[in-house]
Amino acid sequence: MNSRFLVCAAAAALTLSATLFGAPAQSPPPPPVQSDNPVVLDWAPPALDSLSAQAAVKNSFTLDRNMLHAAAGVFAENDEPTRQAIGHLDGLSVHTLKFGDMGVPDENAVNSIRDAYHLRGWKHVVTSTNRGGPVHNGNTDVWVVMDGVNVRGAVVLAETPRTLTLITVAGDLSPVDLLHLRGHFGIPKFDSDTLGQAQVH
C-alpha cells in the first residue's frame, strides 16, 4: 500500500512540475560554456561544414601550446606584449574558406554560425563593418568567454564577399592580450572600443 502511494505521489509531482514549469524542449540548445573548460578548439558550428563543402579553397589548422610558444620566438624582442599574449594561449584553431566569383553562397549559414555562439553562451563584444572596419567590404564579429576579468576563450568570425575565416583561441588572457593578438595568426585588427565592456563583475 505504501509503495502504491509513493508511486502515485511521484507521478502527481511530475505532472505538477510539468504544468508549472513547462515540458523540456525537444531540441535543447548546446550547453553553455563552463569556465573550467571554456573552449573546444576542434568544435565549429555545423553550418561551417555546409559552407566548407561549397568553398573553392579551404584551409584549417590547429596550434597547441608548444607550437604557439615556438611561434612566439619569431617575434622581435621589441614586441614583448605580443610575445606575452601568445604565452598566455593554450591553443588556437583557424578555418579559412575561399569562394569563387559568386562570393559566400549562403548568408543564412553565416548567420547560423553567429547564432550558434549565442546559444552556447558566448558574449558578443565587437562587430566591425566595411564602414571603417578592419575588413574591407566585410564584417568581423568577436565573441568571448569571460572568467572574472580574464578572457578564457574567444572566437573571431571575419567575412568578406569571397572569404570566411573562423578563429578560435583558448587560454587565460586579459582583454589587452587579446588586442595584442590582432594582426597575427589570421586574426584581423578588429575595433577595440567595446572589448573592455566584456568584463563580467
Side-chain angles (χ1 to χ4, degrees):
M1 188 69 175
N2 288 338
S3 297
R4 185 175 181 183
F5 174 80
L6 290 174
V7 170
C8 292
L14 289 174
T15 301
L16 179 60
S17 176
T19 301
L20 292 176
F21 303 106
Q26 304 222 349
S27 299
V33 179
Q34 301 297 320
S35 62
D36 58 345
N37 187 23
V39 180
V40 179
L41 289 172
D42 59 2
W43 183 88
L48 187 71
D49 289 336
S50 173
L51 288 167
S52 180
Q54 304 175 69
V57 179
K58 49 195 169 186
N59 294 297
S60 296
F61 63 87
T62 298
L63 302 178
D64 62 17
R65 178 189 286 269
N66 291 334
M67 295 175 180
L68 287 165
H69 287 190
V74 305
F75 288 89
E77 292 184 2
N78 60 1
D79 195 5
E80 186 61 24
T82 298
R83 294 169 61 144
Q84 289 182 358
I86 296 173
H88 295 157
L89 288 172
D90 293 328
L92 175 147
S93 69
V94 178
H95 304 275
T96 300
L97 307 179
K98 296 182 180 181
F99 303 96
D101 292 340
M102 298 298 293
V104 177
D106 187 356
E107 191 61 30
N108 288 331
V110 180
N111 288 330
S112 292
I113 293 174
R114 296 184 175 102
D115 291 342
Y117 288 103
H118 172 73
L119 290 173
R120 287 175 68 84
W122 292 65
K123 181 176 179 60
H124 185 262
V125 293
V126 176
T127 297
S128 296
T129 69
N130 57 350
R131 296 187 297 276
V135 180
H136 177 65
N137 197 22
N139 300 293
T140 298
D141 292 277
V142 180
W143 296 265
V144 296
V145 174
M146 302 297 295
D147 182 11
V149 297
N150 282 352
V151 177
R152 298 303 306 276
V155 167
V156 179
L157 179 66
E159 179 187 9
T160 71
R162 296 186 184 181
T163 67
L164 191 72
T165 301
L166 182 71
I167 302 163
T168 305
V169 300
D172 189 5
L173 305 138
S174 71
V176 174
D177 285 332
L178 190 56
L179 294 178
H180 283 302
L181 292 173
R182 294 177 301 171
H184 306 295
F185 306 109
I187 300 174
K189 293 186 176 181
F190 53 81
D191 186 4
S192 63
D193 289 347
T194 59
L195 186 59
Q197 300 174 13
Q199 297 183 15
V200 176
H201 301 286

